[in-house]
Amino acid sequence: MDRIPVAPLKSSSFSAATAREDKLARNLSLGPIKLNEQSAKEEPRPEKPAADDNAEAEAVPEEAGEPDFATLSAEIDAFLAAYNDGAESSSPAVVPSEVTLDRFASAVEQEIAPSDGSGDKWVPDSPGESPPLLAAIRRIAALASALTAAQSGGKYTIGLHRVTGVLHRVMTFVEDEFHAILEDPRVAKPAAVPGASADTGSATGRSMRRPPSFGHGAAVEPDRCVVPTPDGGAGEPFPAETVERLRAMAEAMFAAGYEAECTEVFLVARRNALDASLQSLGYDKPSIDDVVKMPYESLESEIAAWIRAFRHAVDVDLPGERDLCLRVFSGGAGGDVGRGIFADLARCAMLQMLNFTEAVVLTKRAAEKLFKVLDMYEAIRDVTPAVDAFVADASSAVDSGQEGGSAAAAMMADLAYELASVRSRLGESAAAIFCDLESSIRADAGKQPVPGGAVHPLTRYLMNYLKYACEYKKTLEQVFKEYRRSDDDGEHAAGDPFAAQLMEVMELLHGNLEAKSRLYKDPSLSSIFLMNNGRYMLQKIRGSPEINAVVGEAWSRKRSTDLRQYHKNYQRETWSRVLNLLRDDGVITVKGHVQKQVLKDRFKQFNAAMDEIQRTQGAWVVSDEQLQSELRVSIAAVIVPAYRSFLGRFSQHFSAGRQTEKYIKLSGEDLEAIIEELFDGNAVSMPRRRT
């Protein structure tokens, strides 16, 4: 889009509301000038010339029909061609009369008057041609530039002000229509402003349609934003005809020297559309202070919304915006302009979103935040190729020597750098959070044992945490390889640092549990506690392919061996003593004779032992049904046959009746029932049943 220098009087349309109203007032003050009145002030009007005085007749418009727009345009084109030829040959061109300039300015005003619906002035009459309104704007912009350069001594001041005044008013119209369509692609043409006259052909008493931004209520009506479609980009799709209209408007503003206004309008409108898209996905752009002070439940929800919006922005919104930028600003240097605008738009949108991740990193580290931090890390990692493609496209424009492409390339490179920097900080934060588990385990040195030897809360929390963490195995491996702490030892660095860190946590947990087992005064309960926790750990590992792959089969086999040892320890501490009571070790039977008192003592001791076991171990907890069943079966397999055999040998030595009831309180079935009630967490007394 080649820029054509224009005359002074250009004013920015991006100041405050009052400034815009002042601009309108200035533009309107440059409205139609009554040339006859102006001439009358300078000198008396001469008598009406004779009919054959052609030269004088041409100077008096009242005597002839006003020329149409095509005729006026041809005269202006002839002047511009002569002016350009004169610039090369140093021969000045003849400037059209003030009357012609006024008529041409009025004709251009007519072009932007409310349409009667018979045609679209932004659409070419035939392929390959410029739209009528674009051609008119190009012509009046070139005319304003030429008049500014050609005037000397203020000779063409009135005509110049008339032309430049209309040019600025036309630009205000184009600017606001450009903005309206960018905000809502469904807008095909702006509606006529109430009170605007359709009759704009007269040089006097003309009422030009006021631009939309200066309409009634503009100061209080909020900016419209496009509501994103569920599967669309930052707004509803722009139809081809709408894009063509926008492209023509952009060309018109560039032709008139309004590049800054055009690009600023585009950026503001599309930033609004992007903001609306993000908001529709639940992301409300919280400030850093808000994020730092936010409760975790709210932060978790915000992070989820951020991830959803961030992925959508990069995968859907930005590609759509890039396509729109390149299509609207096409031709000539327009491609560079489009790349520059897109780079500015993408950089602003992305940096604003990346500020949120910076705020999350600043929050206090906590174990539960690991997975959301990893989610954010993955989101940034996954969109990096798309951003790299944007960078490559901008760089290719520079490599091909396109002017202005370096600024876009610099902005996109800066965005890529920020993306990598934020990703690095998220990775470092994730690694640090995971490594903090070591400190959490070491700090958990409670002196109160868990009632009943149940699974410790630390075991449940850590194993579920590690199981969930291993669902992010590949990401954590990447994080630890790239952002592991500087004090990691050679063993960590030589292999998989994440696996090494996880094994360190597992070993610390195992050691912590062994220390906690010593809090129990009963060695049997200590073994139950270690069995419960060891079994829980092993089940979590074997139930998760991800964590099992990290831990390895060797570690699992070692833990299984430990479990068998805990079981043996329990059996020895509890039931070996009971079995000893059921053995005839040469004390009950001496030289073939049963020592009845010794036999009575043995039954008393056995009954007391079983009562104690039932009372205490009935309150112990084995929540894993399989482990509970294994314990009961192994106990019954040893004790019940031994007791039945003992009864078979010695029960007949008691006389029937009260003596039997006093010493033989349990049958084999009673013993089985007691064993079946162990480890339920309910303490009960031994039943009093007869043999």
Side-chain angles (χ1 to χ4, degrees):
M1 298 179 181
D2 299 328
R3 175 175 179 175
I4 301 175
V6 295
L9 303 177
K10 175 179 169 184
S11 58
S12 173
S13 60
F14 287 92
S15 55
T18 55
R20 295 197 70 170
E21 291 173 2
D22 290 343
K23 170 187 170 183
L24 176 63
R26 289 198 301 271
N27 288 340
L28 293 178
S29 69
L30 297 172
I33 299 171
K34 298 183 180 181
L35 296 178
N36 295 337
E37 294 179 5
Q38 180 68 22
S39 300
K41 293 180 181 179
E42 295 177 356
E43 57 181 332
R45 173 183 290 275
E47 294 295 330
K48 183 175 180 180
D52 59 353
D53 192 346
N54 295 332
E56 185 67 13
E58 289 178 2
V60 182
E62 290 84 346
E63 291 298 313
E66 290 191 3
D68 59 14
F69 184 55
T71 303
L72 291 168
S73 296
E75 185 173 348
I76 296 301
D77 288 344
F79 160 67
L80 292 174
Y83 172 78
N84 291 330
D85 292 341
E88 296 179 0
S89 63
S90 301
S91 300
V94 178
V95 180
S97 67
E98 298 280 13
V99 172
T100 299
L101 294 176
D102 180 69
R103 285 174 173 170
F104 177 69
S106 299
V108 173
E109 286 184 317
Q110 178 67 37
E111 285 295 300
I112 65 170
S115 174
D116 59 5
S118 60
D120 189 343
K121 296 172 184 177
W122 289 110
V123 176
D125 293 331
S126 44
E129 294 184 0
S130 296
L133 189 52
L134 174 58
I137 293 171
R138 282 183 175 276
R139 190 173 287 114
I140 198 169
L143 178 60
S145 178
L147 289 175
T148 301
Q151 73 164 340
S152 59
K155 182 178 179 181
Y156 307 111
T157 301
I158 295 176
L160 175 61
H161 282 201
R162 176 76 176 108
V163 169
T164 55
V166 170
L167 175 63
H168 289 310
R169 294 165 69 187
V170 169
M171 285 298 99
T172 300
F173 161 80
V174 175
E175 176 187 312
D176 287 322
E177 187 171 5
F178 190 63
H179 185 265
I181 297 176
L182 281 168
E183 282 200 322
D184 191 343
R186 294 168 298 185
V187 177
K189 294 181 183 179
V193 175
S197 172
D199 179 14
T200 59
S202 172
T204 61
R206 187 181 296 104
S207 177
M208 180 178 169
R209 186 183 77 84
R210 300 179 73 185
S213 62
F214 295 107
H216 296 293
V220 296
E221 182 181 355
D223 289 340
R224 292 170 298 158
C225 290
V226 181
V227 178
T229 54
D231 55 350
E236 294 187 8
F238 282 77
E241 59 272 17
T242 302
V243 174
E244 189 62 27
R245 185 192 309 276
L246 289 169
R247 189 191 62 76
M249 291 178 179
E251 285 191 20
M253 296 185 76
F254 270 64
Y258 278 66
E259 301 99 323
E261 286 84 348
C262 181
T263 56
E264 185 69 15
V265 165
F266 191 95
L267 280 169
V268 168
R270 299 319 299 161
R271 283 175 188 165
N272 287 344
L274 278 173
D275 285 345
S277 176
L278 299 179
Q279 191 172 15
S280 73
L281 294 168
Y283 178 64
D284 294 325
K285 300 190 297 184
S287 68
I288 291 179
D289 286 342
D290 290 340
V291 173
V292 172
K293 298 175 182 176
M294 200 174 287
Y296 176 70
E297 293 75 13
S298 301
L299 179 60
E300 191 175 27
S301 176
E302 285 291 338
I303 291 174
W306 180 90
I307 292 170
R308 186 166 56 249
F310 183 77
R311 289 185 181 275
H312 190 275
V314 179
D315 294 339
V316 179
D317 289 345
L318 290 183
E321 293 301 323
R322 178 180 176 277
D323 179 64
L324 181 64
C325 287
L326 294 181
R327 290 167 68 193
V328 171
F329 299 94
S330 61
D336 292 333
V337 173
R339 286 187 179 89
I341 291 175
F342 170 70
D344 194 350
L345 184 67
R347 181 176 176 274
C348 289
M350 294 288 285
L351 291 183
Q352 185 273 322
M353 295 200 75
L354 293 179
N355 284 338
F356 177 80
T357 66
E358 296 277 11
V360 172
V361 172
L362 289 175
T363 61
K364 185 178 179 181
R365 287 207 308 257
E368 64 270 16
K369 292 181 183 177
L370 172 65
F371 308 111
K372 286 303 177 184
V373 171
L374 289 173
D375 287 340
M376 297 175 77
Y377 176 90
E378 289 180 345
I380 293 177
R381 179 197 63 193
D382 294 346
V383 304
T384 297
V387 176
D388 289 342
F390 295 149
V391 176
D393 178 72
S395 300
S396 67
V398 178
D399 296 339
S400 61
Q402 298 182 29
E403 184 180 356
S406 58
M411 282 190 284
M412 294 308 300
D414 179 59
L415 173 58
Y417 172 81
E418 289 295 333
L419 204 66
S421 178
V422 168
R423 176 181 167 185
S424 174
R425 283 191 283 277
L426 286 170
E428 292 170 356
S429 178
I433 291 173
F434 193 84
C435 290
D436 285 346
L437 290 175
E438 291 185 26
S439 301
S440 299
I441 296 171
R442 291 190 176 98
D444 194 315
K447 300 301 181 182
Q448 291 296 324
V450 177
V455 177
H456 198 279
L458 178 64
T459 307
R460 291 185 183 277
Y461 175 79
L462 272 178
M463 292 309 300
N464 283 288
Y465 189 91
L466 295 177
K467 178 178 179 294
Y468 193 21
C470 283
E471 294 181 12
Y472 292 83
K473 177 176 176 288
K474 292 183 179 179
T475 301
L476 281 167
E477 287 174 348
Q478 181 180 11
V479 163
F480 270 83
K481 287 177 181 177
E482 296 179 2
Y483 314 112
R484 62 179 180 269
R485 300 173 300 171
S486 59
D487 61 343
D488 284 338
D489 56 29
E491 180 184 354
H492 284 220
D496 180 353
F498 167 64
Q501 185 63 38
L502 186 139
M503 294 307 300
E504 179 70 18
V505 170
M506 296 285 286
E507 291 298 330
L508 280 172
L509 175 60
H510 179 69
N512 183 282
L513 292 172
E514 288 198 328
K516 284 179 167 54
S517 72
R518 292 190 285 272
L519 297 174
Y520 296 99
K521 296 179 180 179
D522 189 333
S524 296
L525 182 55
S526 176
S527 295
I528 291 293
F529 172 77
L530 290 172
M531 264 192 288
N532 273 324
N533 286 270
R535 184 61 167 261
Y536 187 86
M537 293 171 66
L538 200 58
Q539 282 189 327
K540 286 296 179 181
I541 291 169
R542 289 177 171 168
S544 169
E546 294 83 7
I547 191 172
N548 192 45
V550 176
V551 171
E553 191 59 35
W555 194 92
S556 296
R557 286 197 300 268
K558 186 175 184 301
R559 293 284 81 82
S560 296
T561 301
D562 291 340
L563 282 176
R564 287 193 293 272
Q565 187 59 49
Y566 300 147
H567 194 158
K568 289 178 181 179
N569 293 343
Y570 165 75
Q571 292 276 40
R572 183 181 64 251
E573 292 294 336
T574 297
W575 299 103
S576 293
R577 179 168 52 90
V578 176
L579 281 174
N580 287 334
L581 296 174
L582 300 177
R583 290 193 179 100
D584 185 0
D585 49 4
V587 176
I588 299 177
T589 304
V590 178
K591 296 180 180 182
H593 297 283
V594 173
Q595 306 298 310
K596 199 167 183 179
Q597 186 57 48
V598 175
L599 183 61
K600 290 178 180 179
D601 291 340
R602 285 292 179 90
F603 271 104
K604 285 182 179 180
Q605 292 169 358
F606 177 82
N607 293 335
M610 289 307 303
D611 188 62
E612 176 66 16
I613 289 172
Q614 186 179 21
R615 183 178 60 81
T616 57
Q617 297 193 18
W620 294 357
V621 177
V622 177
S623 53
D624 180 71
E625 292 183 358
Q626 184 178 349
L627 177 59
Q628 188 184 72
S629 177
E630 289 173 0
L631 283 169
R632 289 170 175 170
V633 168
S634 65
I635 294 167
V638 173
I639 298 299
V640 173
Y643 184 66
R644 290 184 187 276
S645 176
F646 192 79
L647 281 179
R649 289 181 62 189
F650 299 110
S651 61
Q652 69 271 18
H653 292 284
F654 294 102
S655 57
R658 295 185 59 186
Q659 192 177 47
T660 300
E661 292 179 359
K662 182 178 180 181
Y663 296 105
I664 304 177
K665 298 181 179 295
L666 298 172
S667 65
E669 290 74 14
D670 293 335
L671 188 58
E672 288 177 342
I674 291 173
I675 293 172
E676 283 298 312
E677 292 174 354
L678 297 179
F679 317 121
D680 273 338
N682 300 310
V684 294
S685 298
M686 187 177 69
R688 305 293 181 178
R689 296 187 59 183
R690 296 180 61 182
T691 307

